[in-house]
């Protein structure tokens, strides 16, 4: 089955700096890669996703890149703010499985 | 929040007792999922459903069963709860993707149920 590795497990940045979280996946059939943000005690919330027919997608301060050849994808957050502090999860899925496999999460702390 | 509710939101039970968690959606989505979340493991799929009475196992299905008799409800049952099943349980629903060739569904999560098995 699919295996998703996520790094780093914790990340601390200064407000205004950029943050990058990286994930690798094992199943070449995976074609959908969402990112979720989870604040303490809350549900995971989808923040951005990318599908295999594009290499990059941006939404204001966040962007995701995908390299299908290398089987890795990354989340980029620019101009970080204290409210970006949360746990971020990557995931991989495909139409055949109809389910997502999640990475283990990255705890991002933005220092004011 | 995508019209998903879970009940109960918190539950404390004893080892060996049966427990049923309920997920209810108002979106009429076909796909529903149960995940558990534990520190260091992210979210792991327990079972999912692709229609009424249609279910399949996920990666951590041992000790759990599910039922879906109506589109809007997906039940997760722990037949005989164990301490290793102490966790936060999230239900999710998915809508059909519309972008290009990749049609994997986008998933939205319910508020979660914190279960403690003593």
């Amino acid at each position: 089955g699919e295996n998703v590795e996520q790094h780093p497990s914790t990340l601390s940045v200064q407000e205004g700096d950029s943050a990058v979280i990286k994930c690798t996946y094992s199943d070449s059939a995976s074609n959908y890669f969402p990112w979720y943000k989870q604040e303490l005690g809350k549900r995971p919330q989808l923040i951005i996703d990318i599908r295999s027919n594009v290499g990059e997608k941006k939404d204001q301060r966040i962007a995701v890149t995908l390299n299908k050849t290398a089987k890795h994808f990354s989340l980029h957050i620019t101009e970080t703010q204290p409210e970006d502090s949360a746990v971020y999860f990557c995931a991989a899925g495909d139409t055949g499985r109809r389910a997502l496999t999640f990475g283990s999460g990255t705890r991002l702390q933005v220092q004011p | 929040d995508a019209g998903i509710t879970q009940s109960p939101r918190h539950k404390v039970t004893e080892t060996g007792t049966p427990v049923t968690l309920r997920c209810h959606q108002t979106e009429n989505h076909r796909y529903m999922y149960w995940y558990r979340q534990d520190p260091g493991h992210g979210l792991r799929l327990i079972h999912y459903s692709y229609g009424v009475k249609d279910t399949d196992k996920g990666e951590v299905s041992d000790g759990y069963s599910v039922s879906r008799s109506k589109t809007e409800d997906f039940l997760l049952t722990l037949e005989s709860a164990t301490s290793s099943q102490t966790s936060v349980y999230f239900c999710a629903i998915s809508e059909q993707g519309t972008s290009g060739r990749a049609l994997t569904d986008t998933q939205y999560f319910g508020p979660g149920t914190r279960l403690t098995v003593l």
Side-chain angles (χ1 to χ4, degrees), chain A residues 31-32 36 38 41-46 49 51-53 89 93-105, chain B residues 1 4 31 33 35 37 40-43 45 48 90 96-97 99-111:
Chain A
N31 53 19
Y32 174 61
Y36 287 84
Q38 187 178 30
K42 301 289 183 64
R43 74 188 79 189
Q45 298 268 18
L46 179 72
D49 57 12
R51 300 180 191 268
S52 59
N53 53 348
F89 293 97
D94 75 81
T95 53
R97 284 201 309 276
R98 287 287 181 192
L100 296 174
T101 301
F102 283 82
S104 55
Chain B
D1 287 317
I4 314 169
Y31 293 87
Y33 308 82
Y35 291 89
Q37 184 174 37
H41 289 278
L43 292 132
L45 182 67
Y48 68 101
F90 285 100
Q96 184 67 43
S99 174
R101 295 171 295 169
L103 297 177
T104 304
D105 303 339
T106 300
Q107 293 189 20
Y108 298 95
F109 286 83

Side-chain angles (χ1 to χ4, degrees), chain B residues 54-75:
Chain B
D54 292 322
T55 64
D56 206 350
K57 295 179 180 180
E59 61 179 306
V60 290
S61 60
D62 288 347
Y64 302 94
S65 62
V66 290
S67 65
R68 192 166 176 203
S69 59
K70 299 184 291 184
T71 298
E72 58 266 35
D73 289 325
F74 192 32
L75 303 181

Side-chain angles (χ1 to χ4, degrees), chain A residues 30-105:
Chain A
S30 289
N31 53 19
Y32 174 61
F33 307 93
W35 286 87
Y36 287 84
K37 175 184 180 182
Q38 187 178 30
E39 297 176 347
L40 189 63
K42 301 289 183 64
R43 74 188 79 189
Q45 298 268 18
L46 179 72
I47 56 171
I48 195 168
D49 57 12
I50 191 168
R51 300 180 191 268
S52 59
N53 53 348
V54 297
E56 183 175 4
K57 184 178 179 180
K58 289 183 180 180
D59 183 3
Q60 299 183 339
R61 295 187 297 108
I62 61 174
V64 58
T65 59
L66 171 65
N67 183 327
K68 287 217 69 173
T69 303
K71 295 198 190 72
H72 65 71
F73 56 111
S74 301
L75 177 71
H76 304 253
I77 306 174
T78 59
E79 300 173 19
T80 54
Q81 302 167 3
E83 52 264 38
D84 294 329
S85 297
V87 179
Y88 291 80
F89 293 97
C90 63
D94 75 81
T95 53
R97 284 201 309 276
R98 287 287 181 192
L100 296 174
T101 301
F102 283 82
S104 55

Side-chain angles (χ1 to χ4, degrees), chain B residues 78-90:
Chain B
L78 291 66
E79 301 290 347
S80 177
T82 67
S83 58
S84 65
Q85 293 176 312
T86 292
S87 187
V88 179
Y89 291 85
F90 285 100

